Amino acid sequence: MQKTDERIPISKEQKRAGDHMRLIVDRTEGNRVICEQEDGTNIELSVTCFKTRPQDGTVVVWDGILALPDPAATAARKQKLQSRFDRLKKR
């Protein structure tokens, strides 16, 4: 698991590409927030990277300094997971 310091800047490649990392909050452990990256690996962020303490399952966009919630992506993710669960229940 990759750990981050309080505020780690994004890489030069990400800046060049204009990328921000989309992360899913997995859990909070004390002052650390464990997030899943798009490739499935985990990254640890300090809670100071968030304006408010995030809830599990929230999709956030992290620019290397600040992680902001993405309500539309979070709602879409929840809907997709609910659809999968509903399909499994019908089996």
Side-chain angles (χ1 to χ4, degrees):
M1 181 181 324
Q2 180 181 355
K3 290 186 178 185
T4 64
D5 290 330
E6 291 292 320
R7 296 178 184 267
I8 291 184
I10 58 177
S11 69
K12 290 179 183 178
E13 294 78 25
Q14 289 171 322
K15 283 183 183 178
R16 221 175 299 122
D19 282 345
H20 296 308
M21 295 176 71
R22 189 170 304 277
L23 306 170
I24 300 169
V25 175
D26 182 52
R27 65 189 179 279
T28 303
E29 296 179 351
N31 289 327
R32 308 305 286 170
V33 179
I34 313 304
C35 298
E36 182 179 326
Q37 300 181 83
E38 290 177 331
D39 65 2
T41 60
N42 287 340
I43 185 171
E44 247 184 71
L45 301 176
S46 171
V47 292
T48 61
C49 293
F50 299 83
K51 286 189 175 185
T52 60
R53 189 171 287 266
Q55 293 183 349
D56 298 353
T58 301
V59 178
V60 297
V61 178
W62 185 53
D63 65 2
I65 297 172
L66 187 62
L68 298 173
D70 186 340
T74 301
R77 181 176 179 275
K78 285 182 180 181
Q79 178 61 39
K80 184 178 178 180
L81 291 172
Q82 185 64 50
S83 294
R84 285 182 183 172
F85 181 72
D86 292 342
R87 280 195 316 267
L88 287 171
K89 279 177 51 175
K90 290 179 183 179
R91 288 185 178 186

